[in-house]
Amino acid sequence: FCVHGGIPRELCQAGSSLDIIRRIECPLRSVQSDEIVYDMLWSDPSSPEQEHGGDLDAAGFGLSARGCTCFGERAIELFLDIHKYKHVFRGHEAQQSGVGVSKGARLTTIFSTSKDHFAQE
């Protein structure tokens, strides 16, 4: 599964279908924070502290430091099991080497840009 930001809660529920995505009216005119598209565009993986500190709900979702939805290992597990995928690929987050792997090696963040986000490091 490939997405800009992350997986939406609606697709981590038993019986959910990717038809939810197919029914999104395109082109997008605007996106509100309570829409499935918002999470697909802007959500973040949870931090290790959130993952192990009880900050995520039973489905593996919480609130990121940026104020968007974040998703943890449980959310990835539910999504992949329900939709019969093996991996989630995403962008939207600078990575030190351009690529980051997390969530039990089931989530890969690929980030390429002409701007060097780590120039001072």
Side-chain angles (χ1 to χ4, degrees):
F1 183 76
C2 184
V3 66
H4 177 74
I7 55 174
R9 179 184 299 274
E10 292 87 343
L11 290 176
C12 294
Q13 298 169 358
S16 65
S17 167
L18 295 177
D19 287 338
I20 295 170
I21 297 171
R22 292 181 190 100
R23 289 191 297 263
I24 296 170
E25 188 176 327
C26 294
L28 296 173
R29 302 277 184 231
S30 66
V31 178
Q32 305 302 313
S33 62
D34 62 344
E35 296 180 67
I36 188 173
V37 174
Y38 190 87
D39 286 341
M40 292 175 64
L41 288 171
W42 308 122
S43 64
D44 298 317
S46 60
S47 69
E49 295 79 23
Q50 289 173 304
E51 195 79 45
H52 303 293
D55 294 337
L56 305 180
D57 64 20
F61 289 91
L63 194 60
S64 77
R66 296 184 315 105
C68 295
T69 299
C70 69
F71 54 94
E73 290 189 35
R74 177 69 179 141
I76 292 285
E77 178 183 329
L78 288 169
F79 177 83
L80 295 176
D81 286 350
I82 290 167
H83 301 289
K84 308 297 184 224
Y85 285 110
K86 294 187 184 294
H87 206 88
V88 174
F89 294 91
R90 66 182 292 272
H92 174 61
E93 183 180 11
Q95 300 293 303
Q96 184 71 39
S97 61
V99 176
V101 178
S102 63
K103 306 301 176 216
R106 296 173 295 175
L107 177 70
T108 298
T109 299
I110 304 165
F111 192 83
S112 62
T113 180
S114 58
K115 181 181 177 186
D116 186 356
H117 287 268
F118 299 98
Q120 279 81 14
E121 294 181 15

